[in-house]
Amino acid sequence: MIAPQLFVEEIRKRGTEFFTGVPDSLLKSFCAYITDSVDAEHHIIAANEGNAVALGCGNYLVTSRIPLVYMQNSGEGNAINPLLSLADEDVYQIPVLLVIGWRGEPGKADEPQHKKQGKVTLSLLEAMGISYQVLSEDKEEIRSQIATAYYCMEKNLSPYALIVRKDLFAEYSLKDSKQPSGTMSREEAIDCIVGKASSAAIFVSTTGMASRELYEIREKNGQSHERDFLTVGCMGHASQIALGIALERKDRQVYCLDGDGATLMHLGGMAIIGSKKPQNYCHIILNNGAHDSVGGQRTVGRDIALVQVALALGYDSVVRVSTKKELEDVLEEKGRGLRCIEVLVKKGNRKDLGRPKSTPIENKHAFMHYIAEETK
Ligand SMILES: Cc1ncc(C[n+]2csc(CCOP(=O)(O)OP(=O)(O)O)c2C)c(N)n1
């Protein structure tokens, strides 16, 4: 294992002073260390990985120093466009050091959504013409890998990737791990929403713990999972999956259980929801001010007025709640049209939280079968 301090110091020695990205569980210690050791002007947790590449490029344009952009390999997709049409050596020639967490590395056990991404992580870089190395566990070798990366970036003026395997970084805990305000856990809030919803309501839940919690709540209640679409991958898109469903099935109430990080990742989707105004759509944003599922790194979710954004984008009714009683009361109100309910929740999850026992394909079949039977 490698101390994140050692890695970051080695990078800084080569002139990098700007860090941005979207957190990943494999990069948890690395993210915690830069949060503690880099000032807030020079470490920015971006809304999505494409934004992070662009932000890094902006910094380069005025400093000529190579920025570091970190991400989970799931974020490669978001980053492709700015990597190929901005930073690429055939376009603006901007060197960017990518640090990519390799979930789903072939041969290692992981969730289905990570397995596919893990399989294509390196070949996606190859297709983009981005050179890379998989980081070694040996300190001296890492130093020489970093030296090679900087040599290539400076010579070719193009991005370069360092790939991080599971358990590469030694444990480092964030010094400031303050809890944001909130009385309920995310799981308690979901339990309450499921309890108040009609048995025919459809749920689309976001990436990370929220989907796992929804699954476990159904198990606990002895309910089936067929009304739930668990968005296990594809972070930031649950609200649009729910929109696609809600527009076609106006006879059913559709709840989107979103996270603040996921909402911010593709915030533009809310404008489309607001413009379509599905009256059967309830957008619930479980706001813990953090990317809780991958280590609790801060989002700006608690610094901005998400419900005011929803209102400005055309939602009919918006409300922010922080207690179970407030949440129960708003869920009981009827006839509110397109709604956005922001629920302030605490960070953290149950330590013994399980994972769905059925596969995404089984879930999809059960969901589609249930909806089709209902229409008959
Ligand atoms: C495109 C992409 N980037 C990053 C990730 C890694 N990831 C999974 S869940 C998560 C955090 C989600 O945060 P939020 O929506 O606020 O929900 P919370 O975990 O706080 O409940 C992240 C960053 C991912 N799955 N996909």
Side-chain angles (χ1 to χ4, degrees):
M1 280 192 177
I2 295 291
Q5 294 91 316
L6 177 133
F7 180 75
V8 173
E9 288 323 315
E10 206 54 40
I11 299 281
R12 276 174 154 166
K13 264 192 233 160
R14 306 199 172 259
T16 292
E17 286 181 2
F18 187 75
F19 299 80
T20 180
V22 177
D24 170 30
S25 51
L26 301 192
L27 302 176
K28 191 174 156 190
S29 298
F30 165 80
C31 291
Y33 180 69
I34 49 177
T35 300
D36 278 348
S37 62
V38 179
D39 68 82
E41 292 281 293
H42 294 92
H43 173 217
I44 297 179
I45 299 182
N48 64 56
E49 294 81 357
N51 279 186
V53 172
L55 193 51
C57 287
N59 180 272
Y60 174 85
L61 292 175
V62 290
T63 63
S64 304
R65 280 193 285 269
I66 297 177
L68 183 148
V69 173
Y70 60 86
M71 66 185 76
Q72 180 178 101
N73 52 351
S74 312
E76 270 181 308
N78 279 338
I80 285 174
N81 179 254
L83 283 171
L84 291 183
S85 62
L86 170 67
D88 191 85
E89 58 188 330
D90 288 347
V91 190
Y92 281 106
Q93 301 195 333
I94 301 181
V96 177
L97 181 63
L98 304 169
V99 173
I100 304 178
W102 197 359
R103 290 291 304 260
E105 181 184 349
K108 294 192 181 164
D110 213 328
E111 302 297 305
Q113 69 277 15
H114 291 301
K115 278 193 193 152
K116 179 68 190 202
Q117 187 74 41
K119 228 189 279 177
V120 302
T121 294
L122 305 182
S123 50
L124 274 177
L125 293 169
E126 284 156 21
M128 287 192 279
I130 295 179
S131 305
Y132 63 84
Q133 293 180 78
V134 178
L135 282 174
S136 153
E137 288 215 5
D138 179 86
K139 273 188 216 151
E140 282 318 306
E141 213 176 313
I142 283 209
R143 286 199 173 98
S144 104
Q145 289 180 313
I146 292 174
T148 306
Y150 277 81
Y151 172 78
C152 292
M153 286 188 288
E154 280 154 11
K155 181 164 146 290
N156 305 329
L157 293 179
S158 64
Y160 192 101
L162 296 174
I163 310 297
V164 177
R165 290 193 155 118
K166 191 162 188 270
D167 298 329
L168 175 78
F169 286 119
E171 189 65 29
Y172 176 92
S173 303
L174 201 60
K175 291 199 182 103
D176 170 19
S177 53
K178 263 194 265 129
Q179 264 288 357
S181 62
T183 53
M184 275 177 292
S185 68
R186 181 185 46 228
E187 187 173 7
E188 283 162 347
I190 298 174
D191 203 3
C192 171
I193 297 158
V194 166
K196 287 283 168 196
S198 97
S199 61
I202 292 170
F203 279 79
V204 178
S205 55
T206 187
T207 319
M209 301 297 179
S211 283
R212 290 168 58 183
E213 288 165 348
L214 175 61
Y215 188 92
E216 293 242 320
I217 288 164
R218 296 293 194 197
E219 295 275 292
K220 180 193 74 165
N221 294 350
Q223 293 167 317
S224 61
H225 303 280
E226 59 198 3
R227 294 164 185 80
D228 306 335
F229 187 86
L230 310 179
T231 313
V232 291
C234 164
M235 179 175 164
H237 296 295
S239 71
Q240 303 305 295
I241 301 172
L243 178 62
I245 294 169
L247 290 174
E248 204 59 44
R249 289 303 304 260
K250 299 202 169 62
D251 57 321
R252 304 290 286 272
Q253 179 66 38
V254 178
Y255 290 91
C256 173
L257 299 178
D258 226 339
D260 50 298
T263 302
L264 289 164
M265 183 167 268
H266 296 297
L267 197 62
M270 286 180 79
I272 306 305
I273 299 169
S275 75
K276 288 288 161 201
K277 284 204 194 300
Q279 299 293 294
N280 55 334
Y281 192 112
C282 182
H283 195 170
I284 298 190
I285 305 174
L286 300 158
N287 187 354
N288 47 23
H291 288 282
D292 186 50
S293 301
V294 292
Q297 302 84 354
R298 266 178 66 96
T299 69
V300 295
R302 288 296 186 96
D303 309 330
I304 60 167
L306 272 172
V307 286
Q308 295 305 321
V309 171
L311 196 60
L313 292 176
Y315 286 57
D316 297 313
S317 84
V318 303
V319 62
R320 172 188 257 198
V321 298
S322 61
T323 65
K324 190 169 177 207
K325 173 83 178 69
E326 286 169 350
L327 179 59
E328 284 171 344
D329 289 349
V330 297
L331 289 166
E332 276 166 15
E333 290 169 6
K334 300 274 175 276
R336 291 294 189 145
L338 168 60
R339 308 186 79 182
C340 176
I341 304 177
E342 181 188 8
V343 189
L344 302 183
V345 292
K346 295 186 285 192
K347 288 205 288 187
N349 61 277
R350 210 162 21 91
K351 290 297 158 260
D352 59 350
L353 183 67
R355 290 177 187 277
K357 291 179 195 69
S358 44
T359 66
I361 295 171
E362 286 165 349
N363 288 346
K364 182 198 75 173
H365 284 318
F367 182 83
M368 292 185 72
H369 180 75
Y370 170 73
I371 300 285
E373 284 298 306
E374 282 286 296
T375 339
K376 276 183 193 164

